[in-house]
Amino acid sequence: VFNAGAYTHTSIALHDCIKAISIPVIEVHISNVAAREDYRKISYLSDVCKGTITGFGYDSYKLGIEYLANKIDRKTHKPLELVMPSSKSELQRALLIAACENTNVSILALNINFPLCDDVCSCLNTLSNMDCKSDLLDNRIVIHGGNIINSGKEYNVNVGESGTTLRMLIGIMLFSKSKITIHREGTLAKRNIAYAETLANIFGAKLEYNGDDVILYGLQHEENKKSFDDIVSKQEFILDGSKSSQYISGVLIGFAFCKLFKEINLSIKNVVSREYIDITKTMLQENNNIIITDRSDINDMNLHLHFDINPSIQS
């Protein structure tokens, strides 16, 4: 619901902005502009707006809001609702999955316990520095997609002492177009993250250190153009599941959103935290971009992942 004031009669730029977005816009004026000066009878916005409401004072806004509330295409614009138990493991995965979504997609997580734990706060703070805006209301969180794998932006974030955020974020950004600098604090800065280096080698990414900072250039970054074709052409990857399920959860999310692979076989040997990988797998299967077939045995997970590299956008 948009009152552009005098720009209504002068701004081709606002016309182009409204035309470029998919969100319906209602042009609103408090006064009856048709009864005013001749130049105010010209609108550069009307032809790209859903409709125009004029002359009803402040009720013009109310009428515009009522129209949208009743007529909006909810299949396109209503956020996906995830009804969640009070589990920080699920919530952090939901937040990171939402951050990978396109920028016109939001995810609403329900039944959240407040105050939030340090790990979840760290995750939200990290994503806010990656242009993923979030709204915290009552017992819910809405996080707006940031397209973090495919944006190509350079990121600089601080995960504090949240090892979960660090490990899953590294797994995700292995497949990105970005350079990301991740700062660690406290005991996390002293922890060995050699498995991150192993994964970088497996997936053709580049990982460096600068003091307590981890610097990662994703597979699609220009730093890795020599390894790109070899990695994307692979049909099978083998990972060590005894190191950390959080890295592997990040890898699964990265696979789902990078739009590089048609299908792969992922073998995870010596799995020690299968239930956490299963959480990620279950949450990703809600996404229309991926179908996961599980052929696991007692010791190992054997997953077949099929991707739609041009998925239809669903809320």
Side-chain angles (χ1 to χ4, degrees):
V1 175
F2 184 33
N3 184 345
Y7 289 114
T8 303
H9 323 297
T10 61
S11 181
I12 297 171
L14 287 179
H15 167 101
D16 292 343
C17 288
I18 294 171
K19 186 176 180 180
I21 63 175
S22 62
I23 300 169
V25 176
I26 305 295
E27 178 187 359
V28 162
H29 302 284
I30 295 172
S31 65
N32 181 0
V33 291
R36 299 179 65 183
E37 302 91 339
D38 285 345
Y39 64 82
R40 294 189 191 275
K41 299 175 184 178
I42 298 169
S43 172
Y44 284 99
L45 310 185
S46 295
D47 64 324
V48 288
C49 286
K50 184 74 174 177
T52 300
I53 299 172
T54 177
F56 294 98
Y58 291 117
D59 282 345
S60 294
Y61 294 110
K62 181 180 177 182
L63 292 167
I65 291 169
E66 287 179 348
Y67 172 84
L68 290 177
N70 290 320
K71 299 296 185 181
I72 195 167
D73 181 353
R74 297 187 182 281
K75 289 184 179 178
T76 302
H77 297 285
K78 185 180 179 182
L80 173 66
E81 294 186 0
L82 298 177
V83 180
M84 304 182 59
S86 54
S87 162
K88 72 173 186 177
S89 297
E90 288 181 303
L91 181 52
Q92 283 179 283
R93 284 161 173 79
L95 298 178
L96 289 162
I97 289 170
C100 294
E101 285 281 10
N102 289 320
T103 53
N104 60 342
V105 176
S106 302
I107 288 183
L108 171 61
L110 303 174
N111 296 349
I112 308 303
N113 286 335
F114 287 92
L116 299 171
C117 69
D118 290 343
D119 261 354
V120 171
C121 288
S122 177
C123 188
L124 282 169
N125 181 62
T126 297
L127 295 179
S128 71
N129 289 320
M130 300 178 78
D131 301 326
C132 303
K133 303 188 186 313
S134 58
D135 303 313
L136 281 64
L137 299 167
D138 299 323
N139 67 335
R140 55 189 174 163
I141 297 175
V142 181
I143 187 158
H144 308 283
N147 199 24
I148 62 174
I149 292 178
N150 297 300
S151 71
K153 296 179 180 179
E154 184 169 320
Y155 298 114
N156 195 318
V157 302
N158 186 342
V159 298
E161 295 190 73
S162 176
T164 302
T165 302
L166 172 72
R167 289 184 281 270
M168 285 201 288
L169 188 61
I170 287 175
I172 290 169
M173 298 304 288
L174 287 169
F175 303 93
S176 75
K177 296 180 179 180
S178 300
K179 171 189 175 184
I180 180 169
T181 301
I182 307 172
H183 183 69
R184 303 172 290 164
E185 294 182 351
T187 58
L188 183 61
K190 309 304 178 187
R191 288 187 198 171
N192 185 314
I193 59 167
Y195 193 49
E197 301 171 36
T198 301
L199 291 174
N201 290 331
I202 291 173
F203 295 115
K206 179 180 177 183
L207 189 142
E208 302 174 340
Y209 299 96
N210 181 15
D212 293 336
D213 293 350
V214 180
I215 303 169
L216 177 65
Y217 300 84
L219 169 62
Q220 299 183 70
H221 192 277
E222 59 181 10
E223 283 278 326
N224 300 310
K225 56 186 176 182
K226 291 182 179 179
S227 60
F228 179 85
D229 289 337
D230 287 340
I231 299 300
V232 174
S233 65
K234 285 191 174 182
Q235 300 294 309
E236 184 169 355
F237 295 92
I238 301 173
L239 303 181
D240 183 354
S242 67
K243 301 300 182 183
S244 172
S245 64
Q246 294 162 351
Y247 281 119
I248 294 172
S249 286
V251 166
L252 286 173
I253 297 169
F255 271 133
F257 287 94
C258 69
K259 301 180 182 179
L260 295 176
F261 303 90
K262 185 64 177 177
E263 57 184 346
I264 60 166
N265 292 307
L266 181 63
S267 298
I268 307 167
K269 304 295 185 182
N270 305 312
V271 181
V272 293
S273 299
R274 185 187 298 260
E275 62 273 21
Y276 290 109
I277 299 174
D278 282 337
I279 290 172
T280 307
K281 179 165 63 78
T282 299
M283 297 182 79
L284 285 175
Q285 285 173 324
E286 300 297 324
N287 184 283
N288 69 321
N289 181 35
I290 183 171
I291 299 172
I292 303 176
T293 305
D294 194 335
R295 303 165 177 165
S296 302
D297 56 31
I298 295 175
N299 297 315
D300 303 331
M301 292 189 76
N302 296 287
L303 307 177
H304 178 78
L305 286 67
H306 178 84
F307 308 95
D308 177 2
I309 58 174
N310 294 300
S312 61
I313 295 174
Q314 295 182 352
S315 62

